[in-house]
Amino acid sequence: MMPKERREQILQQLNENGKIEIEELVNELNVSAMTIRRDLAFLEETDQIIRTHGGAILNKPLVVESSFRTKEGKFNERKRAIAERAVQFIQDHSTILLDSGTTTLEIAKLLKEKTTITVVTNDIKIAAELLDTDVKVIVTGGELQNTVGTLFGPLTEQMLRGIHVDLFFLGAHAIHGRAGVTAPTYEKAAIKKLMIEASEKTWLVADSSKFDQKSLTKVCDLNQIHGLITDQQLSDETEKMLNEYLEVVTVEGGEKG
């Protein structure tokens, strides 16, 4: 079989299955593992696939910003389960930083009975969720991103440079083994970087749909944060890769899809 035919067959299997393993291709195509690795290297260089530990996945489009209305309602059971686990890390009398997003909003919903914590956030929906509670809420200020509810810009950055918190729950648009945590705009990435710097410890909270994805601007490498809380829909391969960089906590619950 010619290299072109072999690569076309690899792409066909990827389109059908979403991912492939080198060992499977060696057996199916009756060639060496080195030959398959060269094929995968070629396909990656031409931006058709993304190589993973022991195989490959299709190269997906960059993740772009979505409105709050678009994100609301997606994977809600997973996000609630992640939030329930996240709040177990919050100690009394601590100051926590909540990134903007629907998963961190689920965390905020579980903090309403707290009376001794302080929440800092750049998300007006999170602030509104805690309006009629005894939680001390500090809003970063800044320019409002319409349809999303996020505050960003120089005023937000200035405020974040002047604080230090015990715990930061970081939301993510996209997560990838090599690319790390990424965001759709430079402004979003800059805010998230400052939040990490302002925090004693950072937990990434993200459902499994965010993985093996890339967005435009890098926030951080995976080894720059303490840990990850996610759902059990991760593939074994992805979870193994993540464990090389940070502590991974998986939670039950969540609809598939």
Side-chain angles (χ1 to χ4, degrees), residues 127-160:
E129 189 69 34
L130 297 172
L131 181 64
D132 296 314
T133 71
D134 291 326
V135 176
K136 182 177 180 180
V137 180
I138 300 173
V139 183
T140 61
E143 181 181 347
L144 175 65
Q145 185 179 10
N146 297 90
T147 76
V148 176
T150 302
L151 298 170
F152 69 99
L155 289 175
T156 313
E157 295 177 18
Q158 180 180 351
M159 189 274 188
L160 290 170

Side-chain angles (χ1 to χ4, degrees), residues 12 29 43 70 74 88 94 124 161-162 178 202 206 238:
Q12 182 178 346
L29 302 177
L43 292 170
T70 300
K74 285 188 176 181
Q88 295 177 23
S94 61
I124 62 168
R161 289 191 181 99
R178 290 197 311 278
T202 296
T238 298

Side-chain angles (χ1 to χ4, degrees), residues 185-215:
T185 67
Y186 285 99
E187 292 84 358
K188 282 285 181 72
I191 295 299
K192 291 175 186 289
K193 288 176 183 177
L194 288 171
M195 288 177 163
I196 293 171
E197 293 172 7
S199 307
E200 192 70 26
K201 186 177 290 187
T202 296
W203 279 93
L204 175 62
V205 287
D207 66 82
S208 55
S209 70
K210 303 292 181 66
F211 291 88
D212 292 326
Q213 306 267 11
K214 296 178 184 177
S215 199

Side-chain angles (χ1 to χ4, degrees), residues 6-178:
R6 199 168 54 242
R7 292 162 188 166
E8 288 176 351
Q9 191 163 335
I10 290 172
L11 288 173
Q12 182 178 346
Q13 288 198 33
L14 273 171
N15 278 305
E16 292 174 355
N17 303 318
K19 66 177 183 177
I20 50 173
E21 303 291 337
I22 290 175
E23 290 183 8
E24 294 175 5
L25 292 171
V26 166
N27 295 328
E28 290 176 14
L29 302 177
N30 196 27
V31 293
S32 69
M34 183 60 69
T35 297
I36 295 299
R37 289 190 181 95
R38 283 197 294 266
D39 287 336
L40 297 182
F42 174 86
L43 292 170
E44 185 173 49
E45 288 170 5
T46 54
D47 294 326
Q48 297 179 77
I49 68 165
I50 297 171
R51 295 172 72 183
T52 62
H53 292 276
I57 59 174
L58 280 176
N59 192 4
K60 302 174 183 177
L62 292 179
V63 174
V64 297
E65 185 75 281
S66 299
S67 69
F68 178 85
R69 189 178 298 276
T70 300
K71 294 183 288 186
E72 188 180 24
K74 285 188 176 181
F75 308 111
N76 272 355
E77 290 183 24
R78 300 184 191 184
K79 292 172 183 177
R80 290 190 196 103
I82 291 168
E84 288 170 1
R85 185 69 181 88
V87 296
Q88 295 177 23
F89 291 102
I90 299 174
Q91 298 180 357
D92 290 341
H93 306 288
S94 61
T95 300
I96 67 169
L97 183 53
L98 290 181
D99 196 3
S100 62
T102 49
T103 303
T104 46
L105 178 60
E106 291 299 325
I107 295 175
K109 292 176 181 178
L110 299 175
L111 299 179
K112 293 182 177 181
E113 303 305 317
K114 298 282 187 179
T115 59
T116 63
I117 66 169
T118 299
V119 171
V120 183
T121 187
N122 67 326
D123 190 310
I124 62 168
K125 290 186 177 295
I126 288 176
E129 189 69 34
L130 297 172
L131 181 64
D132 296 314
T133 71
D134 291 326
V135 176
K136 182 177 180 180
V137 180
I138 300 173
V139 183
T140 61
E143 181 181 347
L144 175 65
Q145 185 179 10
N146 297 90
T147 76
V148 176
T150 302
L151 298 170
F152 69 99
L155 289 175
T156 313
E157 295 177 18
Q158 180 180 351
M159 189 274 188
L160 290 170
R161 289 191 181 99
I163 66 169
H164 186 81
V165 302
D166 298 301
L167 191 58
F168 170 39
F169 291 109
L170 167 67
H173 296 82
I175 307 163
H176 186 270
R178 290 197 311 278

